[in-house]
């Protein structure tokens, strides 16, 4: 039995996947961060009727029915298929029936510059994908 767990752990490391969690990729815990590098964080926004600017949404099961890490592990897929953002819009509508329905879902990334391990300046935001809610 331990040999099977070791094989799964090894495959998870080489494939860099969380599909076998807790025997999947553990690199997020084992990688040192460059104290003068950048930190990226995936974010989610929605444009609501009558509002000039998109509103940042909490990226969790209580807000959009999914955790940020679950989306980050499939980020390339979501960017290639922005229609996947529809399920987050549907969850938002279901979880917040008294709130306005979002018109557009926006998957974004904030990049924060570090200097000696501390954030400097304002984070830069990049849009990764958008989806007009149906």
């Amino acid at each position: 039995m331990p040999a099977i767990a070791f094989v799964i752990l090894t495959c998870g490391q080489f494939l860099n996947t969380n599909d076998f969690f807790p025997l999947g990729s553990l690199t997020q815990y084992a990688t040192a961060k460059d104290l003068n590098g950048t930190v990226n964080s995936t974010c989610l926004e929605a444009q609501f009727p009558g509002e000039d600017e998109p509103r940042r949404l909490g990226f969790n099961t209580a807000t959009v029915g999914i955790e940020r890490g679950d989306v980050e592990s499939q980020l390339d897929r979501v960017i290639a298929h922005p229609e996947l953002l529809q399920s987050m819009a549907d969850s938002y509508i279901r979880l917040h029936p008294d709130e306005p329905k979002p018109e557009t879902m926006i998957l974004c990334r904030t990049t924060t510059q570090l200097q000696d391990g501390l954030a400097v300046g304002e984070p830069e935001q990049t849009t990764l994908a958008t989806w007009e809610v149906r």
Side-chain angles (χ1 to χ4, degrees):
M1 197 59 118
I4 293 171
F6 179 73
V7 169
I8 293 171
L9 178 62
T10 302
C11 289
Q13 290 299 105
F14 284 114
L15 296 175
N16 194 24
T17 180
N18 290 322
D19 291 343
F20 307 122
F21 187 81
L23 297 176
S25 174
L26 303 175
T27 56
Q28 63 181 329
Y29 305 112
T31 304
K33 194 67 183 163
D34 180 0
L35 296 179
N36 293 309
T38 58
V39 175
N40 293 317
S41 180
T42 305
C43 50
L44 186 66
E45 294 183 336
Q47 182 68 50
F48 290 92
E51 295 183 8
D52 294 333
E53 297 292 323
R55 188 186 323 163
R56 180 75 55 101
L57 299 179
F59 216 150
N60 54 57
T61 56
T63 305
V64 291
I66 193 167
E67 294 290 340
R68 177 188 358 218
D70 295 325
V71 173
E72 287 178 335
S73 69
Q74 300 184 49
L75 197 56
D76 291 339
R77 181 174 169 237
V78 177
I79 292 169
H81 300 281
E83 64 272 15
L84 294 170
L85 296 172
Q86 181 67 46
S87 65
M88 288 181 237
D90 293 341
S91 292
Y92 180 86
I93 293 165
R94 181 178 46 80
L95 293 166
H96 307 279
D98 297 331
E99 294 289 323
K101 177 182 172 182
E103 296 177 325
T104 305
M105 299 297 285
I106 304 158
L107 184 65
C108 49
R109 173 183 291 141
T110 58
T111 303
T112 303
Q113 180 65 47
L114 299 178
Q115 183 175 344
D116 296 326
L118 301 173
V120 292
E122 290 296 317
E124 290 183 29
Q125 184 167 311
T126 306
T127 298
L128 303 175
T130 60
W131 179 252
E132 297 298 319
V133 177
R134 297 181 181 167

